[in-house]
Amino acid sequence: MSVKIRLTRIGRHEDPFYRIVVADSHFARDKRYIELIGRYDPSVGKKSLVIDEEKALYWLNNGATPSDTVKSLLSSKGIIEKYNNSKKSAKKVKEDK
């Protein structure tokens, strides 16, 4: 199963609002998802971005691939940097053994 972290669109016509979800890549964009991890309103900007950092890091560590837009949003919150640092520290511990 290929798992992605991506946006699903909700909201009215010409007034989009997005949920940040973890979903199987074979599912339709706005249909089934595994877990809801955040939300984003582009009309307000990145200050409206709400992401559960703990859940996002959990899914990244378990192999979920973020879409380009979600990767940008995660970077703005510093989650991608924390993920990369945790990977480096885990690799360093593994090399020390």
Side-chain angles (χ1 to χ4, degrees):
M1 176 166 68
S2 177
V3 178
K4 300 244 183 222
I5 302 175
R6 62 184 181 192
L7 299 174
T8 61
R9 188 181 194 278
I10 57 175
R12 297 187 310 234
H13 180 69
E14 295 187 20
D15 188 19
F17 188 83
Y18 296 96
R19 290 180 179 155
I20 302 168
V21 299
V22 178
D24 185 340
S25 64
H26 295 95
F27 294 154
R29 179 192 72 182
D30 296 335
K31 299 296 177 187
R32 290 180 17 191
Y33 57 86
I34 299 168
E35 187 170 21
L36 174 68
I37 63 171
R39 61 184 182 272
Y40 172 59
D41 185 358
S43 64
V44 178
K46 289 190 178 179
K47 61 184 173 186
S48 71
L49 178 63
V50 176
I51 298 177
D52 186 336
E53 186 176 324
E54 199 173 294
K55 288 180 183 179
L57 287 171
Y58 169 80
W59 283 105
L60 288 169
N61 285 325
N62 285 310
T65 308
S67 68
D68 293 338
T69 305
V70 172
K71 190 171 187 177
S72 170
L73 294 173
L74 292 174
S75 293
S76 71
K77 286 288 190 180
I79 296 172
I80 294 292
E81 186 177 336
K82 288 180 183 180
Y83 169 65
N84 289 334
N85 289 340
S86 70
K87 278 180 51 177
K88 286 179 186 176
S89 64
K91 186 176 181 180
K92 188 174 183 180
V93 168
K94 193 174 185 180
E95 288 176 355
D96 290 341
K97 287 185 179 182

